Amino acid sequence: MVFVLALCNTGDHLTTLIKVKQQLMATTTTAIPEAFQIKEEIHQKTYLVNGELRKWDGDTSPVISTISSTEEYAPTTLGSVPDMGETEALEALDSALAAYDKGQGLWPTMKVKDRVECMESFVKKMEQKREQVVKLLMWEIGKSKPDSYKEFDRTVEYIYDTIEEYKQLDRNNAKFEKHDGVYAHIRRGPLGVVLCLGPYNYPLNETFALLIPAIIMGNTTIFKPAKHGVLLITPLLEAFQSCFPKGVVNILFGRGRTVAAPIMQTGKVDVLALIGNSKSANALQEQHPKSNRLRLVLGLEAKNPAIVLPDAELDLTINECISGTLSFNGQRCTALKVVYVHDEIKDKFLKNFAEKVDGLKFGNPWDDGVSLTPLPEPDKPAYIQELLDDALAKGAKIINKKGGKHFDNYIWPAVLYPVTKDMRVYQEEQFGPIIPVLSFQDIEEPLDDMAESNYGQQVSLFGKDVYTLSPLIDTLANLVCRVNLNSSCQRGPDVYPFTGRKDSAQSTLSVHDALRSFSIRTFVAFKDNNLNVQTVEQLMEAKVSNFLSTDYIL
Ligand code: G3H
C-alpha cells in the first residue's frame, strides 16, 4: 500500500507532500477475507414504483469503492445504479399519491394490526439479507466490520421496537374521553406523502429511522438512497415490494437535485424527512410552493464540543474523546468536532491524546482491531488537507506525529492546537478525521462560543466537581439538546430523543418520538345525547370502522 507523508513547515506555512512507499507497521492491511471479496459486480436494473420492480434501461451511474482490491492502490468498481430523471421521479410521486388516495387508500385506512403484520413480515425478510447488506456497507462507505454489523442489527432492533411502540400507542388510544359533555376518540393519523432522504454515513440505519415510522403510521413514501451506500439497499427491494401494498414504498435512484427537486416542486409532498445538511434541506424546502403545508423531520449538521474541566478524569476523558472524535473517522453528525480543554490540564491532555490518536490502527473495514478506515468520498482527504493548511497558516500546530499523513484514500487525523475562531476547521463541520483543540481559562469562553454557534445538538462535559458541573449543566441544557456527562456524544440508545437546536435539527427522532413526528392527532368527537350514544354503540358493535375501535392489539 502507498502512503504520502505530509511534512508541515510551520515556519513559512508551506506544506510539502512527499510520496513514500513503505510497509505499514501499525496499519498493515491484511488480504481480503473470502467472504468479503467482490466476485461479481452488482448492476441494479430495477426500481420500485407502484408495487412493481420496473426495468431500467436508461443511463446508469457507477458505484465505486475507495477501497482497493489490489496491492497497488486502485478504487474498486462495485457495480452501477440507475441514474433516473424527472419522469421517473414524478411516476414515483403519482404512485405514492394513488396509494394514499386522499386518505382513502388501503394503507392509510388499514387496521393498525394489519399494518403491523406487514412490517413484521418485512423485518423478517430483511434479517435474511444481513450478510449481503453488511458486506456492501463495508465496501461502499468503509465502515468497520463490527460497526457495519452493528448498523444492521441496530436497524432491525429499531424496527421491532417501533412495532412494539406502535402497538402501545394504539392501546393507549383505544378509549373514549369525555370533557364538558363532549366525548372524543383520539388517535394519531398519517400525514400523507413522505419524501425520505438519508445520509451516507448511516445509509441503512438513519434512512430506516425515517422510513419505518413514516410507513407504519400509514403514510406513503418515496425514498432515494444516499450517494454512497446505495447498492446496499438493493437486496431489500424485493422485501419492500412483497410486504407492503402497492405504492406504499417507492424507491428511486439518482441525484437528489434531479429527482427530489421536481417532486417537491409539485407541492404534493406532505413531509420532507431528511438526514443530511441544512443547505440541502433549505434548498428542497424552498422548492415547495406552499411550505406552510410541509412538515419537516430533519437531522442536520452539528459541531458538538467537548469541554474538559481541570478536574476531569484524564484517562476516561481521553478515551471518550477518541471515540467521540474518531469513531467512523469523525463522519458522524454526533461526532465531537471541537475540543475545549482547560489551560491547567491542556499539556497533559494534548500529549496523551496525541499518542492515543497515533496508536490507532488504520486498515480496511474487515481488518481485525481497525479503528480508522478508508474515506468513501474520494475528495475528502483533499478537503481535510485544505482545513489543515488553513489552520497551519493561521498559527496552529499538528500535535501528533502521524497527523496529516496521506494514504490513497485516507488522511491521518491531525490533532491541531491552538485553534482560533478565524480558522476554517473551527467554522466548518469537518465530518472527517481532523481534531481542533482550543484551550480556555474561563468557562464563559466555550459557553459564549456555543451560544454564538449555528449548531445546537449535543455537548460532552468532562469533570467531577458537582458545584462546577451543576450551573454548567443548567446552561448547556438550554444551548443543546443532550448534555453528555463524562461521555462522548452519541445518538443512541434509540429510545432516547435525538434532536437539536438552530441548524442542527427539526422535529425529534427516537422510537417513541418518530411515530409522533410522522403523524398528527385526529379524532372523532360527539356531544353526549341519546342519538350519538346509540350511533357510536352501533358503530363499535358493527366493527366496520378501522379508526373508531377500542380493540386491543396484544
Ligand atoms: O451522523 C449522525 C448520527 O446520527 C450519529 O449517530 O451517534 O449513533 O453514531 P451515532
Side-chain angles (χ1 to χ4, degrees), residues 29 33 36 65 67 134-135 137-148 362-370 372-374:
T29 300
F36 303 133
S65 170
I67 300 172
V134 164
K135 179 172 166 181
L137 260 171
M138 290 191 274
W139 276 98
E140 285 193 82
I141 62 160
K143 191 167 275 191
S144 71
K145 185 170 82 172
D147 283 352
S148 294
F362 171 77
N364 282 330
W366 38 80
D367 294 344
D368 282 340
V370 79
L372 309 173
T373 50

Side-chain angles (χ1 to χ4, degrees), residues 257-284:
R257 75 180 74 119
T258 318
V259 295
I263 293 177
M264 293 299 290
Q265 282 157 12
T266 63
K268 292 177 179 167
V269 168
D270 300 288
V271 186
L272 173 63
L274 177 148
I275 298 189
N277 63 61
S278 57
K279 221 167 122 193
S280 340
N282 285 333
L284 280 173

Side-chain angles (χ1 to χ4, degrees), residues 238-271:
E238 188 279 327
F240 277 119
Q241 183 209 15
S242 59
C243 298
F244 298 104
K246 68 176 187 178
V248 172
V249 185
N250 301 280
I251 302 180
L252 290 171
F253 299 93
R255 295 172 70 87
R257 75 180 74 119
T258 318
V259 295
I263 293 177
M264 293 299 290
Q265 282 157 12
T266 63
K268 292 177 179 167
V269 168
D270 300 288
V271 186

